[in-house]
Structures are given as C-alpha cells and as structure tokens.
C-alpha cells in the first residue's frame, strides 16, 4: 500500500493506492499484494480472519541489485480456471483444478528495469505463488526473502523436521510451539487452537534449490534455500521463474490431505504415452540385510544371489506379486560403500548373480526383476554410467529401478565444469537438477524410478509420471533393530506432513517382530527399546494409509506364511486408486483413510479399502460408511486389534470378521496402543 504525504503548513494528509487482491472461487480465502512502505508484500485471510500477516517478497543477489525495497505494485492480469485432468496412476484418478489467478508486477521506484512479477493462484483449499523475473546475464541468488508471517503465533503448534541436516529428511517429527521452530523442512504443518490447519510447501521444484523455513522474530518464517557448494543458493542465466510457494488451508486436519494443490501447480505430463508405467506390489531381498541375516556385499552371507532371487520369484508368482527387488547385486558394496561411491558399477554384477538368468526365469514365472542403483551420493560417478545401467536393465525387461543416495549432510559428490569435486546437499540446485535428469533419462528407456534418500516430492510426478515413488522420510528400515524404532505417533504425524508432498515407499508389511540381529546374544531377552512399535494389523493399515503406487511386502517370505489370514489383505489390496478420502484424524494422534479401487474397462472399481492407525493411545474410532456407493451391499472384511493386543507382549493378536454393510451404516474399529485396523469392502451387487 503506497502512502503519499503532502505537508501544507501544519496541515498534512496521507493518500494510498488500493491493495490488489484475489479471492478463492468460494470467497473464503483472500490473497492481497501491497507495497506499504514501498516493500513488496503479501497477506492472506481465511473466512475473514488473517492467517498470514504482511510478509516480504523479493531477492538479494551476489552482484546484481537487490529486489524488495523501494518497490511499487500494479496489476498485470487476472484469470479464472475450472477444469479437471486425469492421472495415469495415483491416489485420485480425476483431479479437479479450479482457481482464480492474479499476476502483479513489483517495480523499483527509481529503476524501471528492476522488477519482478508474482503470479498467484487461489484455490478453495489454499494458494500458490511464484516469481517470474525478467532480465539478462548471470545472477546468483544469495537470499530469497519470501516470508510467511503467521498471525497469533502463541496459539499455534508446529509439526516439523530439521532442514539441511545430516540425515537429509530422515528425522522424527517434532511437535513444538511455533515460536520454538528453528530451521525446518517442508511440508511444514501448523495447527491453531481454533482447529484451523495450514501447511507450507512448494510445487514444481525445477532448476532451483529446495526451500526450508527459517524462524525469524514473532511468527515470521523466511525461505531458506539449500546452498550450493560455493555458498551461493541458485545460479540463473537471463529471465527465470521459481517454484511455487504453497499454503494449504483447512478447517480440520484431514482437509490438508484431501488437497491436490501441489499437483495442480505442476506442468502436465511431458513424457507422452506412459502405459509402460505399471503400479503394483513387490517383494525383495532387502529386509534380510537390514536385520543382519544377509549382507549387501559379497561373501558367505551375500543376499543378492541368483538362486535366492529365483526363490523370491517363486514366492512372488505364487502369491500374486509383480516383482522382486534385488539390492547388492552389483560391484561396489564391499568395504565402506557409503564413503566409496566411485567404486560402484551399474553394469557389472557379483559372480554369484546372473542378471540374464534371473530375468529369463522371471519371464517364465510372470515376475519382473526390480532394479537397484545405489550411488552413495556419487552424482558424477552415477551420471557417467547411468545410461549404460539403464540400457542393461531395458535389455533384460526391467521396468522399475529403485535408486539410492546414502550420503550424510552436504556430502553428495559432483564434479563441476572445471573438474573440481564439489560437495552438495540433497536439495541443492545441482542435485535437484540431477534427479530430474535421472527420471527424464530413464523415461527414454521406459523405466520408472523410485528414489530413496531423495529430494522431497513437489508434485513433479504429474510432469514426469515415471517418478513413481520416493522415500524422503524416515521409513521402515528404522524398525530393523539398529537404534531406536519409529515411535507410535510417526505415521499419524507423517500423514499430515510428509505425505502431503506425495507418494512414499515406506516398505510396510513386517510380520515378525521377534527377530534378533546377529550381534544380540541368543540368551538375551527382547529389547523393547529396539522392537518395532507395531501390531500386526497396523502393518496392514499402512498399505492404505501410506500412499504409494508401488508397495513392498517387506518381510521375509517365510514370515507371511505364519499369518496367512493377515497376508491375504496384502494380496488383495491394490496400489492404484479411483478416489481417496481422508475421513478422520488429528496430527500425531490417529488417521483414518478410505480409498476406492481404480476403475478400468474390465473392472467396475466398486471395492473400497480403509486403513486406520493410532499413536500410543488406544482408541475406538466410529467410521461412517457414507463413502460407499449408495444402494450397494458390501462384504466388509475387517482386520483389527483385539482388546488384549499389545505391541510389546501380544502384537500378533488380530480379530478378523466379515459382515454385510451399506453406505448407511457405521463401523466401530478398535485400535490398540501403536495399533491399527484394515478393512476391505467387497462389492456384492
């Protein structure tokens, strides 16, 4: 808002230009841009209550003039948009995309060439805005000044993990007063005392650095971009646009899950026909290494052998799994592989693993080999071999590759244009660009990528549908007995934080909680400090609650045959969905989600699945079944904890029953401490 003051003797008056605002289609959200005190700013209200107070916009550069102070604002354009689009795979087949758009231009009051446009889209459930900066020549960003000035910070609770830390995104979530936040990754979720929730994130992270949030004074959070090896943040040549900064808003926690702002702000599919991307379920030679039964490296306990892979393929074929993941097949795993990334080969296998023999056997069984490329953060070593590795897999009928980047802190290794080794964060600009190079190159070989130790998801699966899943959080391997397991509140917290970003390859389905690692003496009692905090039915619920188009049955095959009734749910549950509804939940407490099986030409898609997970508090949740199709009858196949189920002493106790239900009914589900429930609603008519 510009103020002009004229002094005439003792008489003075102030005039100002109008603020420039845009409303959501339903009118509840109002986004306003202003130039009060000649600063570039924005604010946001929800149902008449201010959520984001005046917050700065702009940049500083290494040498170019800064952009934020002494700026005036004017309107550039407005637009309305209302359509829908179809995902090739996803948690929701049809995505509604309705918003009002406003573009404003901030121009320096003394230099008309120093300007930038902010383009904003306001949806009923939140906003997204990005910078569009004209210009020429090289500009190195040293600070993005975007702020999120949350009002009434003393009434706000934040749920967050540290940004730019040693463990990338693999931290337990913290629940703190907003005022106690330090540097936090996004998605960053806030709950107010009146029940209003918001989540700050970003969309379409391309050729830019990932954004964390740095707490300033009061309720102010400022964008903190992951630095490059040289300390600058982003290098740009000529005109550039930034990723979208997003704020999702809801009256209750589940509104955040039921939003698709991030997907809508990404560009449509760039890959063309993608019928070669196949969602599904897989087993793998993976958990055995984590619990110490096998090794990734060569030797007597080597996990990735030809014979063992064939055995896993036999199991997969018998029980309806699409693929077998094999980790540790290629040379480079011996010794300190985390530090020696340059030793990895992506085409040479260990002598006891024959790629051709395995894939030929899989073809007979109708089971695909799922490939694996561990890089240890060796970006340059991987890129030099990447296409050869992709070609090898394509030649043998592989369709999916799990990639890994196990490197701690700012330790991903990249040689620059001057052949100098640089050390980068997972979300620095060069590594962000590497990930996009990886998935776009894989598409040329019709390969889907599941990235572990990856940069966070920002909806790019819409643009690159072969980026089929990723990790980017603390997953199942933390329950393997090395250190403290994931606590009971981990999944009910991730549902409202990490999972807002997109699919996660959590690798659920552990059925044996009594394993002992080799280093534990045989006569030792169970160490409850390291045992997974889970019941058997909680493992089933994860297949519905934690969305991914590819889901692993992570345990050893023999452990599933000890619990055949529970295993049936894993065999039944799909991974591609027609519709998703988050029904109930509170951050860190519990979550209930229902998903409808995807329709296709040969199947009506009337079956629904439900998952519910609780924290350390046992509870009974009453679920209305009005998401089911009216007038139809369903057989509800209900897997839930018993009253005496206990994650420490009785984790395998499970109740199974069937009943006929309709959309008019409700269902009570008991969730034990660290427990869960899973239901299949099988259409009957």
């Amino acid at each position: 808002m510009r103020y002009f003051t004229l002094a005439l003797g003792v008489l003075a008056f102030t005039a100002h230009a109008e603020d420039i605002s845009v409303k959501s289609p339903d009118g509840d959200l109002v986004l306003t841009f202003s130039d009060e005190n000649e600063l570039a700013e924005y604010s946001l209200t929800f149902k008449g209550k201010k959520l984001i107070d005046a917050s700065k916009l702009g940049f500083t550069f290494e040498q170019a003039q800064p952009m934020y102070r002494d700026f005036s604002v004017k309107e550039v354009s407005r637009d309305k948009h209302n359509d829908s689009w179809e995902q090739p795979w996803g948690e929701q087949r049809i995505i509604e995309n309705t918003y009002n758009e406003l573009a404003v231009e901030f121009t320096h009051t003394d230099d008309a060439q120093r300007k930038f446009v902010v383009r904003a889209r306001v949806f009923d459930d939140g906003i997204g805005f990005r910078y569009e900066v004209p210009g020429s020549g090289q500009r190195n960003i040293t600070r993005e000044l975007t702020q999120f000035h949350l009002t009434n910070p003393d009434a706000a609770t934040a749920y967050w993990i540290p940004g730019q830390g040693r463990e990338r995104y693999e931290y337990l979530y913290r629940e703190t007063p907003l005022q106690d936040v330090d540097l936090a990754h996004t998605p960053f979720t806030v709950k107010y005392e009146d029940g209003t929730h918001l989540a700050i994130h970003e969309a379409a992270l391309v050729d830019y650095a990932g954004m964390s949030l740095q707490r300033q004074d009061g309720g102010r959070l400022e964008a903190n971009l992951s630095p490059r090896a040289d300390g600058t943040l982003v290098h740009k040549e000529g005109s550039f646009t930034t990723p979208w900064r997003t704020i999702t808003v809801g009256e209750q926690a589940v509104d955040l899950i039921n939003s698709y702002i991030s997907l809508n702000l990404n560009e449509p599919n760039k890959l063309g026909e993608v019928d070669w991307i196949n969602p599904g379920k897989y087993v793998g030679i993976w958990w055995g290494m984590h619990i110490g039964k096998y090794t990734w490296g060569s030797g007597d306990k080597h996990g990735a052998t030809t014979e063992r892979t064939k055995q896993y393929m036999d199991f997969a074929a018998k029980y309806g799994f699409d693929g077998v993941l094999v980790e540790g097949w290629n040379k480079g795993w011996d010794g300190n592989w985390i530090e020696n990334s340059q030793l990895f080969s992506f085409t040479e296998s260990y002598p006891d693993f024959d790629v051709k023999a395995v894939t030929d056997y899989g073809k007979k069984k109708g089971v695909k080999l799922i490939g694996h490329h561990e890089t240890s953060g060796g970006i340059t070593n991987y890129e030099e071999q990447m296409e050869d590795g992709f070609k090898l897999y394509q030649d043998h009928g592989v369709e999916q590759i799990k990639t890994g980047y196990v490197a701690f802190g700012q330790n991903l290794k990249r040689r620059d244009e001057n052949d100098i080794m640089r050390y980068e964060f997972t979300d620095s600009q060069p590594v962000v660009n590497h990930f996009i190079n990886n998935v776009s190159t894989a598409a040329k070989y019709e390969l889907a990528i599941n990235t572990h130790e990856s940069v966070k998801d920002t909806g790019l699966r819409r643009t690159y549908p072969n980026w089929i899943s990723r990790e980017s959080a603390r997953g199942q391997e933390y329950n393997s007995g090395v250190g403290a397991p994931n606590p009971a509140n981990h999944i009910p917290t991730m549902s409202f934080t990490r999972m807002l970003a997109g699919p996660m390859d959590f690798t659920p389905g552990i059925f044996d909680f009594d394993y002992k690692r080799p280093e534990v003496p045989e006569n030792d009692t169970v160490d409850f400090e390291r045992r997974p905090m889970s019941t058997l039915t909680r493992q089933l619920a994860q297949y519905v609650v934690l969305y991914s188009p590819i889901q692993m049955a992570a345990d050893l095959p023999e452990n599933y045959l000890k619990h055949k009734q529970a295993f049936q749910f894993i065999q039944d549950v799909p991974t591609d969905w027609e519709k998703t509804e988050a029904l109930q939940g509170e951050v860190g407490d519990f979550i209930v989600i229902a998903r409808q099986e995807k329709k296709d030409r040969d199947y009506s898609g009337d079956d629904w699945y439900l998952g519910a997970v609780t924290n350390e508090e046992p509870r009974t949740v009453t679920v209305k079944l009005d998401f089911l199709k009216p007038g139809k009858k369903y057989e509800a196949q209900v897997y839930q904890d018993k009253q005496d189920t206990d994650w420490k002493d009785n984790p395998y106790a499970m109740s199974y029953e069937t009943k006929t239900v309709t959309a008019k009914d409700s269902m009570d589900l008991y969730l034990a401490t660290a427990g869960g429930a899973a239901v299949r609603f099988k259409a009957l008519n």
Side-chain angles (χ1 to χ4, degrees):
M1 185 178 303
R2 283 171 285 174
Y3 291 93
F4 304 97
T5 301
L6 299 178
L8 299 174
V10 294
L11 177 65
F13 67 92
T14 300
H16 62 84
E18 292 296 322
D19 293 337
I20 305 172
S21 298
V22 57
K23 294 183 178 181
S24 58
D26 65 6
D28 287 344
L29 282 165
V30 182
L31 175 64
T32 301
F33 293 99
S34 70
D35 55 14
E36 186 171 350
N37 299 320
E38 296 186 336
L39 294 173
E41 293 180 328
Y42 78 97
S43 60
L44 180 68
T45 61
F46 177 54
K47 294 191 172 181
K49 182 178 68 176
K50 185 161 284 188
L51 283 183
I52 305 292
D53 214 340
S55 299
K56 290 181 183 177
L57 299 162
F59 302 93
T60 63
F61 301 97
E62 190 174 37
Q63 293 184 356
Q65 292 291 329
M67 292 185 176
Y68 73 97
R69 187 177 294 281
D70 302 323
F71 273 73
S72 62
V73 66
K74 69 176 182 179
E75 182 175 320
V76 174
S77 65
R78 290 180 183 267
D79 196 10
K80 294 183 178 181
H81 191 88
N82 182 10
D83 69 358
S84 61
W85 55 278
E86 182 174 358
Q87 295 196 87
W89 52 264
E91 66 276 62
Q92 180 107 350
R93 184 172 63 87
I94 303 298
I95 304 293
E96 301 296 329
N97 187 20
T98 303
Y99 59 83
N100 292 331
E101 181 179 282
L102 169 67
V104 297
E105 183 178 85
F106 287 96
T107 305
H108 194 270
T109 54
D110 296 325
D111 181 1
Q113 298 304 309
R114 204 190 317 174
K115 59 186 176 183
F116 60 88
V117 170
V118 178
R119 187 173 305 277
R121 293 176 181 172
V122 183
F123 304 79
D124 287 344
D125 49 359
I127 68 167
F129 64 88
R130 73 179 184 190
Y131 298 90
E132 300 172 359
V133 185
S136 61
Q138 178 74 31
R139 281 176 291 182
N140 297 341
I141 299 173
T142 56
R143 189 177 176 190
E144 183 186 317
L145 297 171
T146 306
Q147 286 186 346
F148 305 86
H149 184 181
L150 277 63
T151 58
N152 198 14
D154 293 332
T157 301
Y159 303 86
W160 59 286
I161 56 173
Q164 302 171 22
R166 181 180 187 273
E167 299 293 340
R168 304 166 303 272
Y169 300 88
E170 297 179 19
Y171 291 92
L172 293 176
Y173 277 85
R174 304 177 183 183
E175 176 182 345
T176 70
L178 179 63
Q179 304 286 43
D180 291 347
V181 173
D182 185 17
L183 178 65
H185 272 308
T186 69
F188 176 87
T189 298
V190 175
K191 176 184 178 180
Y192 282 96
E193 290 177 352
D194 67 356
T196 302
H197 289 69
L198 64 85
I200 301 171
H201 190 38
E202 57 183 318
L205 175 55
V206 176
D207 193 24
Y208 208 77
M211 178 183 72
S212 297
L213 299 174
Q214 179 70 62
R215 181 179 61 83
Q216 308 290 334
D217 61 304
R220 291 180 176 85
L221 302 166
E222 183 173 291
N224 186 308
L225 304 183
S226 186
R228 299 169 61 105
D230 65 1
T232 58
L233 305 180
V234 175
H235 292 181
K236 286 294 186 180
E237 179 74 28
S239 300
F240 66 89
T241 61
T242 69
W244 298 86
R245 279 63 187 96
T246 66
I247 305 172
T248 307
V249 181
E251 292 186 290
Q252 54 185 342
V254 292
D255 293 338
L256 302 181
I257 300 175
N258 292 325
S259 172
Y260 296 99
I261 288 175
S262 183
L263 281 175
N264 279 326
L265 290 171
N266 273 268
E267 296 297 320
N269 171 18
K270 285 186 175 181
L271 303 183
E273 179 56 60
V274 290
D275 59 356
W276 45 271
I277 301 171
N278 295 306
K281 289 173 289 190
Y282 68 101
V283 294
I285 303 173
W286 176 79
W287 188 244
M289 278 85 90
H290 278 288
I291 63 175
K293 183 174 182 177
Y294 308 129
T295 61
W296 281 278
S298 61
D300 294 341
K301 294 173 64 178
H302 186 213
T305 68
T306 299
E307 290 309 308
R308 183 167 292 112
T309 305
K310 288 180 177 180
Q311 293 168 6
Y312 271 71
M313 285 180 163
D314 289 340
F315 179 84
K318 184 174 182 179
Y319 294 102
F321 292 90
D322 305 295
V324 174
L325 168 70
V326 180
E327 295 193 13
W329 67 274
N330 57 316
K331 292 182 179 179
W333 289 94
D334 295 326
N336 188 354
W337 56 270
I338 295 178
E339 296 295 331
N340 299 322
S341 62
Q342 71 278 4
L343 300 181
F344 274 109
S345 169
F346 301 99
T347 55
E348 296 181 84
S349 62
Y350 282 118
D352 56 358
F353 185 81
D354 187 327
V355 176
K356 185 178 187 305
V358 164
T359 52
D360 285 350
Y361 188 80
K363 289 174 185 176
K364 296 177 183 178
K365 292 286 183 175
V367 176
K368 299 283 186 179
L369 172 68
I370 296 177
H372 185 248
H373 286 167
E374 175 55 61
T375 71
S376 290
I379 301 298
T380 299
N381 180 58
Y382 187 32
E383 289 188 338
E384 289 174 347
Q385 302 182 63
M386 196 164 65
E387 294 213 46
D388 289 339
F390 289 165
K391 181 68 164 57
L392 173 71
Y393 276 144
Q394 184 190 47
D395 288 346
H396 289 92
V398 172
E399 295 179 353
Q400 295 174 11
I401 302 175
K402 174 182 174 181
T403 61
Y405 295 81
V406 181
F408 298 111
Q410 190 175 359
N411 203 34
L412 283 86
K413 296 173 279 294
R414 175 188 66 90
R415 288 195 178 276
D416 68 11
E417 59 277 6
N418 298 315
D419 202 36
I420 298 173
M421 183 63 75
R422 303 295 187 185
Y423 296 89
E424 304 282 356
F425 280 113
T426 303
D427 46 2
S428 72
Q429 183 187 18
V431 180
V432 165
N433 290 343
H434 162 75
F435 286 125
I436 295 175
N437 177 36
N438 176 253
V439 296
S440 57
T441 304
K444 297 192 301 184
Y445 296 87
E446 296 192 348
L447 290 165
I449 298 295
N450 166 23
T451 321
H452 280 230
E453 297 82 37
S454 166
V455 68
K456 60 189 170 183
D457 196 346
T458 59
L460 281 165
R461 57 194 168 110
R462 181 183 183 188
T463 311
Y464 303 97
N466 68 321
W467 207 343
I468 199 164
S469 195
R470 72 183 79 197
E471 187 185 36
S472 305
R474 192 177 153 112
Q476 185 78 270
E477 66 268 26
Y478 285 86
N479 293 328
S480 65
V482 182
N486 296 324
N489 69 355
H490 186 54
I491 289 174
T493 304
M494 280 209 308
S495 297
F496 299 97
T497 49
R498 158 64 182 87
M499 297 308 298
L500 302 180
M504 181 184 178
D505 188 35
F506 182 82
T507 58
I510 299 304
F511 273 27
D512 177 22
F513 308 127
D514 295 311
Y515 54 81
K516 285 191 176 181
R517 297 184 58 84
E519 64 268 24
V520 177
E522 283 297 322
N523 59 353
D524 258 19
T525 58
V526 175
D527 183 357
F528 289 117
E529 296 301 317
R530 296 189 174 189
R531 187 179 192 172
M533 295 188 69
S534 178
T535 66
L536 187 62
T537 46
R538 180 189 183 93
Q539 293 294 316
L540 303 184
Q542 290 170 3
Y543 285 90
V544 182
V545 168
L546 297 175
Y547 169 65
S548 177
I550 52 170
Q551 291 280 24
M552 188 180 194
D555 212 336
L556 307 178
E558 57 265 30
N559 291 332
Y560 291 116
L561 304 183
K562 299 175 186 177
H563 304 282
K564 289 187 176 180
Q565 185 68 73
F567 185 43
Q568 186 62 52
F569 184 83
I570 297 179
Q571 293 174 260
D572 291 338
V573 66
T575 63
D576 201 12
W577 305 101
E578 180 72 19
K579 189 181 299 183
T580 286
E581 293 186 32
L583 303 175
Q584 300 178 42
E586 294 292 343
V587 189
D589 293 345
F590 74 104
I591 178 64
V592 183
I593 292 181
R595 305 188 195 269
Q596 181 186 6
E597 189 169 6
K598 188 173 182 177
K599 300 178 181 180
D600 60 33
R601 288 174 296 182
D602 302 317
Y603 179 66
S604 64
D606 286 331
D607 286 8
W608 281 77
Y609 291 76
L610 182 144
V613 170
T614 188
N615 59 5
E616 67 277 2
E617 296 294 330
R619 70 186 76 231
T620 297
V621 293
T622 300
V623 181
K624 293 181 179 179
L625 305 184
D626 52 6
F627 54 85
L628 298 175
K629 187 174 182 178
K632 289 190 73 72
K633 292 183 178 180
Y634 294 81
E635 179 186 76
Q637 302 167 2
V638 185
Y639 305 75
Q640 63 181 317
D641 297 322
K642 293 183 175 181
Q643 290 296 320
D644 63 346
T645 303
D646 182 87
W647 74 269
K648 283 187 178 181
D649 301 322
N650 196 19
Y652 306 111
M654 183 188 77
S655 167
Y656 175 77
E657 64 173 330
T658 63
K659 61 179 74 174
T660 301
V661 298
T662 70
K664 296 180 180 179
D665 295 322
S666 295
M667 179 178 291
D668 291 335
L669 296 172
Y670 175 68
L671 316 177
T673 298
V679 185
R680 179 190 182 187
F681 297 94
K682 184 177 180 181
L684 295 177
N685 61 330

